[in-house]
Amino acid sequence: MATAAAGPERTSDGRYVVIDGRRWRATDPEIPDDAAAVLRRELMSARRAVGAALKAAEPDAERAARDRVQRAKVALGERGTPWWEQNATERRQRWAALVEELSDDG
């Protein structure tokens, strides 16, 4: 079993993490730590916004929050074209624009 410091168990090719016996696509390991942290903060914020919108029964806010979740997950490489099928330029383009946008907002 993986420790908290080591992170979740990964498949031998490193492309997936295994949580409770289920495979999930891993975050692109080539994303620099500082950029990945920005993207994870956005993902967590967007997930909280989904919950708040659901609680408030606001479908438009829920849709906007779910769209934010999708953008963050794609930028992290967890959705969309698999990061291992992209070249270095495509991988950087996938996450850099959102990191820049979020950095400009903060």
Side-chain angles (χ1 to χ4, degrees), residues 44-95:
M44 294 301 104
S45 173
R47 285 178 169 165
R48 286 189 298 274
V50 169
L54 286 169
K55 186 174 182 180
E58 295 178 354
D60 291 341
E62 179 189 351
R63 178 75 268 146
R66 289 189 186 279
D67 289 345
R68 285 177 56 205
V69 168
Q70 176 69 10
R71 281 186 73 197
K73 300 265 309 160
V74 167
L76 285 162
E78 297 174 9
R79 292 190 184 153
T81 303
W83 48 262
W84 56 88
E85 293 178 4
Q86 296 177 316
N87 65 40
T89 300
E90 292 168 329
R91 288 168 84 171
R92 181 169 181 78
Q93 289 172 342
R94 188 193 64 244
W95 58 263

Side-chain angles (χ1 to χ4, degrees), residues 24-36:
W24 300 91
R25 194 184 306 171
T27 298
D28 182 347
E30 294 297 317
I31 300 174
D33 290 342
D34 58 337

